[in-house]
Amino acid sequence: MSSRVFTLIRLSLLAVYVAMLLYSHAFSLPYIDHPDEPAFYLAGQVWIGNFDMGSYMRGYPPAYIALELLISQALRLFGFAEMSQTINVMRWIAVAVSAATLWLIFSAAREAAGDWASVVAGTAWIASPFVVSHGVYATPDPLVYLAVAGALWLSILAIKRERTGYALIAMVVGAAAVLIKLMVVPALLAGVAGLFFWLRDRRLGGRLLASQFDVALTTAFLALIVFNSYSLLTPYEDSLAQSEIGIIRREGAQSTLFNLVNAERVINNVSYVFVPLGAGGVLPWLLGGAVAWLLARSARIDWRTIALCLIAILAVPWIMASFTAIGLQRIRDVFPAMTALCVLIGIAAAQIWRALPPQRLWRWLYYGAVALWIIFAIAPNFNAALALVSERGFPDRRAAFRAWADASLEANWVAVPREYEKVFNPFWSGLTGAQWFDWLVYERPPMEKPLSYWRDERGMLYLVLPSELERADGADDYLAGTLRLKAFLNPPYQRGAEVVVYRTVPPQTPLEASFSDQVKLIGLDIEPSDEALRLRPYWQALRPLARDYSIYLHLTPLDSREILAQQDGSPKLKRPTSTWDDVEERLIGDWFTLSLPRACDVRLLMGVYDWQTGERLLLPDGADFVELWRKPCP
């Protein structure tokens, strides 16, 4: 195929990748799902005195935090002061950076082994659902992937074109990456390129290595002395005391050196470089490429470019072993190595093609191997990536839950499961809310303790249960003394755990009064005094309501409809009845207060009416009111 065709394929792959990122980049917002995204925003707010995080994030490299702070302050000038709005812009930046990373993977593989290598490398990268998942986060990681891919490309350029300037630029890119996140691998790649020059020309290579050493020394001075990054390893007490970084801070920096020689830990980390692509989709290419390289003669690809890729593949997880054992939760830490792995896969694919005998049969066997790779390795990965993108297109249930709580609940204590721990935390969730709720996160099922424990001892007015706990054995008896308010269930499908909200204190007086098969009065709280009557009704819609109804409260004599005092208004001001579209929801009405002009022989009547037409809704017996309270004279 011509170079123009390969360029068109690369542009098509880039378009597909960017489309997936753009479709999924705003997932969950305004709720911020990722635990690290708020941390960098808040770290910037610490710099300007708007927040206090104690020792958390102390000493973190400043480049990304400074960028996010700059964006947040610029947005404030235009009236966008919410954390989620800044995170949204930072995710747009992550999308652009991720697109550039793919293009650098294309470029590095193409420079090393040609157009076919670039297409294979890029295909492997964009097919991974892990890559698509982490390519949109407002964290430093996408910039680090970009830096490693860029340093690899520049180092290959330096070697292939015999230009020391590229190696020096690669070193600067590595230095920039260190100031974004403590990653030395880009610098290692550039240093190896300098070593290759030194092996060929001691004088030229020596000058390059000296320049690279100056860049590394300057970077170390900035990171450790100016920006105090060493304090990341100093002991302190915080909420992450049991995490690996917390252990390192307590035990001292020497523990990181022990981790680097822990063979089991290092092998574990290296193995995770292959997980995002699947060993079955990687090892056949690498083994076949190695055999083809050994058998080839004049068609051998430059071993130095292969060495650069191998160094990145091994060095990234080895360095990571100093402070973490990689697992699926932190798999993003090996993605810098994966950029090099994808380039190496492309190199291997090109090397096998170059080493094939000229007979047509061998060519067709190669085409068959590529087809099998696409069918059994790339297609499943790509389908998983598309499923991830599709799932992220749905709204987040936790944002809907918080909006409902603001409009439907009185602020008080809420017990929530771990999946909802940030919903009422405006500092980490991005959901500022209209009112302040205090929250308690429980780890064990609440049914393991009596309801009185939550209601009386812990003061929880609301209990948020995962939906499966509502169906557990004994749940009906346990919840009989509560009021079920609303279930957040599928359908419609939303991201986040399905939950059911209960009020631990039911209405003082249960009632059953149906108004024209539209709304039902289900309970009442009433607080009479000598001078006034304070009450709160509880409601349930019998069908989705299209109109905004009002209620009237009339204080009358026992034997007539003469109005002694009255109140009219929405049953719930923040939730007009036209929003009552869930017939399973129970609504806590607003408080109403009526003066008591007479001490006795009075009653309180309530009715529901259409405030636009004045039409009153009727009870089954034809009456247009229900009596809520009376006080006869002794």
Side-chain angles (χ1 to χ4, degrees), residues 538-592:
Y538 292 74
W539 302 94
Q540 183 177 2
L542 297 176
R543 64 182 66 179
L545 303 179
R547 292 179 175 273
D548 289 332
Y549 292 108
S550 294
I551 65 171
Y552 66 83
L553 294 165
H554 291 173
L555 189 70
T556 73
L558 294 180
D559 55 357
S560 76
R561 296 289 299 271
E562 177 190 356
I563 299 175
L564 303 176
Q566 77 176 72
Q567 276 269 24
D568 285 62
S570 170
K572 192 169 185 64
L573 191 58
K574 294 182 180 179
R575 290 285 309 277
T577 58
S578 58
T579 68
W580 297 10
D581 54 1
D582 180 0
V583 297
E584 297 296 325
E585 180 183 1
R586 280 82 169 179
L587 294 103
I588 307 167
D590 291 337
W591 284 99
F592 291 86

Side-chain angles (χ1 to χ4, degrees), residues 104-105 107-113 117 121 148-149 151-157 159 185 188-190 192-193 196 270 273-274 286 301-317 334-348:
L104 287 174
I105 291 172
S107 301
R110 184 170 184 263
E111 187 68 28
V148 175
L152 178 61
W153 171 61
L154 289 165
S155 298
I156 292 174
L157 277 177
I159 291 170
V185 174
L188 282 174
L189 290 171
V192 171
F196 289 155
V270 172
V273 179
F274 298 83
L286 298 186
I301 292 174
D302 193 329
W303 67 272
R304 295 173 298 178
T305 62
I306 298 173
L308 286 171
C309 294
L310 288 173
I311 288 170
I313 292 170
L314 298 175
V316 169
V334 297
F335 284 3
M338 189 181 152
T339 62
L341 178 61
C342 289
V343 172
L344 188 61
I345 291 171
I347 292 173

Side-chain angles (χ1 to χ4, degrees), residues 399-451:
F401 174 85
R402 179 59 204 258
W404 170 83
D406 276 326
S408 306
L409 305 180
E410 288 182 312
N412 209 299
W413 277 94
V414 187
V416 296
R418 179 60 64 184
E419 297 89 339
Y420 280 63
E421 65 176 327
K422 296 196 304 180
V423 170
F424 294 106
N425 186 337
F427 308 116
W428 292 90
S429 69
L431 304 175
T432 54
Q435 54 184 337
W436 180 270
F437 288 85
D438 292 299
W439 69 97
L440 180 146
V441 181
Y442 59 80
E443 301 290 348
R444 305 288 300 170
M447 285 79 162
E448 293 184 3
K449 295 184 179 294
L451 183 61

Side-chain angles (χ1 to χ4, degrees), residues 343-362:
V343 172
L344 188 61
I345 291 171
I347 292 173
Q351 180 62 75
I352 294 172
W353 175 261
R354 293 182 185 185
L356 288 176
Q359 289 84 1
R360 182 175 297 179
L361 174 63
W362 290 102

Side-chain angles (χ1 to χ4, degrees), residues 32 119 137 149 187 208 229 289 299 323 336 340 428 461 472 497 574 601 604 620:
I32 300 171
V119 169
Y137 285 136
L208 175 59
S229 293
F323 64 87
W428 292 90
L461 183 59
K574 294 182 180 179
D601 277 344
L604 179 65

